[in-house]
Amino acid sequence: MGRQIERPMRQTGAVILAAALLWSVPALAQSANGPLDFLGNIFKSKSDQTGSTAPTQPASTGGAAQWSGEDGASGHPLMTASAIREAASNFDSCVASMWPDAARRNISQESFQRFTAGLTPDLRIMDLLDSQPEFTKSIWDYLDILVNDVRLAKGKEILAKYKPQFDATEKAYGVDRYVIAAIWGIESNYSTQMGDRSVLQSTATLACIGRRQNYFRDEFLSALEILHHGDLSPEQMRGSWAGAFGPTQFMPTAFKRYAVDADGDGRSNVVDDPADLIASTANNLKKDGWQSGQTWGFEVVVPKGFNYMLADRAKAMTLPQWEHLGLKRANGQAFPATSDKAYLLAPAGAEGPGFLMLQNFRVIMKYNPAEAYALAIGHFADRLRGGQPFVQAWPRQERELSRAERLELQQLLAQRGFYRGTPDGQFGGETREALRGFQASIGAPADGFASSAMLDRLRAQ
């Protein structure tokens, strides 16, 4: 499960997929249904998964990666090297200062002292919190990595092995088993890549050091609550650098909201107990608005000359309305009879496939707010169910822009009056809208896709 770190994070241990525009998603490191650790467990090195303490200076020998000792890329005052060192020197006092809040949560003093004794900051997390990838991956590259034959085979094994648990969960919550299995597979590669950092150490570090202290203070205290109640042990609560743990990557606060004791053993064990894991993940989706018996969306063929200004999450229409505009299912089948509204997603612009996204796609995005992630989950679930690969081709000839090129594109859009934000090389909705405005002004499809050709057009203006 995962959320971006720049907004309330949810759960996950993949990477804090800071969703960049054009559908390139930076391979950051943190998801956590909150942090975007989505894909983090796939791309990050083993040294970044350890829970060892990092000194304030880079290590000169091998072993776990250490803090760089440099200012963070965000430019936030709490991410300067001096601020990080100062906060680290005050770490013990910061942790101790949270005792009154812990007491208000009915955590005993004995538990507080036992679980916080010997805690030290893991400063390597500061580099991960503020990492700014030079290059990004395209959505088709991510889909290739996440939805592959090996993972599909393993997913089918999991579905067969735990069929009784999936049966019971589907009956109790009405959530599609294939979506749960897809989340399990993508978040942790079926429990083989869950991360090995101490959740308590990671959340304590982030609660006391860096630019997300307010958010992580709640995560740290929630982790203490879980340990105090005895649902999990410190050894079980190991995961991503952002604090996500378990096969489907729960943040501590998400565990509190959604974890259930499905097998009645008195503990909500989302780490080692398949019944609890499957049911808790389903409970999460159900409470986020999952519609039983409904799919997540449809791959569609978008007609030539289509007005891509309609490809907007805020511009939902019924399926018949989209059909009236010329959109058809890519597999040639008819749309189901439904009055549900969908929005059009064109992750690779006019040169790639389109998708009509229903309510359940929005629910998956609550699990992790990156559209690339949600598309991967939906597609993986369909493949586990026996569905086919996407029909239409991706524009694989397109290369992803470097961070310097993304920054330049924003600056050029700003110079021409289309972009009003602060250029930072991170693509989001504001950049996409600005690019659409420029594309419309030159008579190009206003699809918001930041190709190298579009950057060249901007340079030539």
Side-chain angles (χ1 to χ4, degrees):
M1 317 178 177
R3 297 271 163 105
Q4 289 171 300
I5 214 164
E6 291 310 330
R7 55 185 296 175
M9 313 184 224
R10 229 227 60 150
Q11 322 152 253
T12 285
V15 194
I16 200 167
L17 241 186
L21 163 118
L22 89 150
W23 278 92
S24 323
V25 200
L28 250 109
Q30 152 190 347
S31 138
N33 289 335
L36 270 180
D37 266 343
F38 152 56
L39 296 174
N41 288 336
I42 298 173
F43 294 109
K44 65 187 175 186
S45 66
K46 289 185 177 179
S47 63
D48 282 351
Q49 297 182 31
T50 64
S52 59
T53 303
T56 57
Q57 296 297 332
S60 58
T61 58
Q66 310 298 333
W67 176 46
S68 66
E70 299 176 354
D71 291 349
S74 68
H76 193 286
L78 293 179
M79 295 302 296
T80 64
S82 60
I84 290 170
R85 289 192 178 93
E86 182 178 356
S89 68
N90 192 48
F91 180 78
D92 290 345
S93 296
C94 173
V95 172
S97 72
M98 287 187 270
W99 158 241
D101 288 335
R104 281 190 283 272
R105 296 180 182 224
N106 297 316
I107 298 170
S108 70
Q109 190 167 32
E110 187 276 332
S111 287
F112 184 84
Q113 292 175 340
R114 174 158 58 99
F115 294 124
T116 62
L119 270 182
T120 53
D122 179 1
L123 296 187
R124 166 61 179 152
I125 290 175
M126 293 300 107
D127 290 327
L128 300 173
L129 175 63
D130 245 20
S131 65
Q132 298 240 2
E134 176 59 26
F135 296 96
T136 59
K137 283 189 176 293
S138 65
I139 186 171
W140 49 90
D141 284 336
Y142 275 125
L143 290 170
D144 287 346
I145 292 167
L146 294 175
V147 185
N148 57 61
D149 291 341
V150 173
R151 192 164 301 190
L152 282 166
K154 182 61 176 178
K156 291 175 182 178
E157 289 178 14
I158 290 290
L159 284 161
K161 182 176 182 179
Y162 299 114
K163 184 178 184 300
Q165 290 88 341
F166 279 110
D167 286 344
T169 293
E170 230 171 32
K171 182 177 180 180
Y173 297 95
V175 176
D176 180 14
R177 69 183 64 201
Y178 299 103
V179 169
I180 298 171
I183 290 172
W184 189 347
I186 285 180
E187 288 291 352
S188 68
N189 202 11
Y190 294 111
S191 304
T192 63
Q193 295 174 316
M194 295 189 289
D196 193 36
R197 272 188 156 89
S198 162
V199 171
L200 204 61
Q201 182 187 37
S202 294
T203 54
T205 298
L206 290 159
C208 292
I209 306 170
R211 60 185 172 84
R212 294 308 307 276
Q213 293 178 36
N214 289 338
Y215 170 80
F216 280 102
R217 188 182 185 96
D218 191 17
E219 297 296 344
F220 172 65
L221 291 167
S222 294
L224 284 174
E225 284 185 86
I226 295 168
L227 294 172
H228 172 69
H229 293 152
D231 283 301
L232 298 168
S233 68
E235 291 71 32
Q236 289 174 303
M237 291 186 69
R238 303 191 70 82
S240 74
W241 63 263
F245 60 94
T248 56
Q249 295 288 282
F250 278 88
M251 288 296 283
T253 53
F255 177 96
K256 286 175 55 184
R257 288 194 296 272
Y258 305 117
V260 296
D261 175 16
D263 56 10
D265 66 356
R267 300 170 63 221
S268 299
N269 181 355
V270 300
V271 177
D272 304 316
D273 187 324
D276 290 359
L277 165 68
I278 294 167
S280 297
T281 306
N283 186 43
N284 184 160
L285 294 170
K286 183 67 174 178
K287 287 188 174 179
D288 277 345
W290 186 268
Q291 293 187 345
S292 299
Q294 300 294 318
T295 185
W296 55 273
F298 306 97
E299 181 188 358
V300 294
V301 177
V302 181
K304 295 293 184 182
F306 182 79
N307 177 13
Y308 277 90
M309 297 299 283
L310 296 175
D312 188 309
R313 202 183 312 178
K315 297 176 181 177
M317 292 186 280
T318 64
L319 296 179
Q321 286 175 316
W322 286 114
E323 279 190 293
H324 182 71
L325 293 174
L327 274 68
K328 299 179 180 179
R329 289 187 67 178
N331 62 9
Q333 297 178 5
F335 287 109
T338 176
S339 59
D340 293 344
K341 290 188 174 181
Y343 73 91
L344 176 63
L345 183 67
E351 299 303 314
F355 302 90
L356 286 179
M357 302 312 198
L358 298 168
Q359 165 65 13
N360 285 345
F361 186 82
R362 295 178 185 266
V363 172
I364 298 171
M365 284 193 65
K366 292 180 182 179
Y367 204 87
N368 183 318
E371 288 173 329
Y373 171 91
L375 183 59
I377 293 293
H379 184 49
F380 189 23
D382 285 350
R383 296 295 307 280
L384 287 171
R385 188 181 290 105
Q388 298 301 307
F390 290 133
V391 175
Q392 300 165 95
W394 295 100
R396 294 179 182 273
Q397 75 281 0
E398 291 288 350
R399 69 171 181 82
E400 295 306 315
L401 302 183
S402 70
R403 183 171 182 273
E405 288 174 320
R406 298 195 301 272
L407 186 62
E408 180 187 3
L409 183 141
Q410 289 175 320
Q411 291 169 336
L412 290 172
L413 286 171
Q415 290 172 15
R416 285 148 184 73
F418 294 101
Y419 182 66
R420 293 176 176 77
T422 301
D424 58 4
Q426 297 289 342
F427 283 178
E430 192 173 5
T431 306
R432 190 155 42 210
E433 287 305 307
L435 184 55
R436 281 176 168 175
F438 170 72
Q439 291 170 322
S441 74
I442 61 173
D447 58 14
F449 184 66
S451 64
S452 56
M454 196 53 57
L455 176 58
D456 289 340
R457 292 290 298 273
L458 271 165
R459 288 166 172 164
Q461 292 295 307

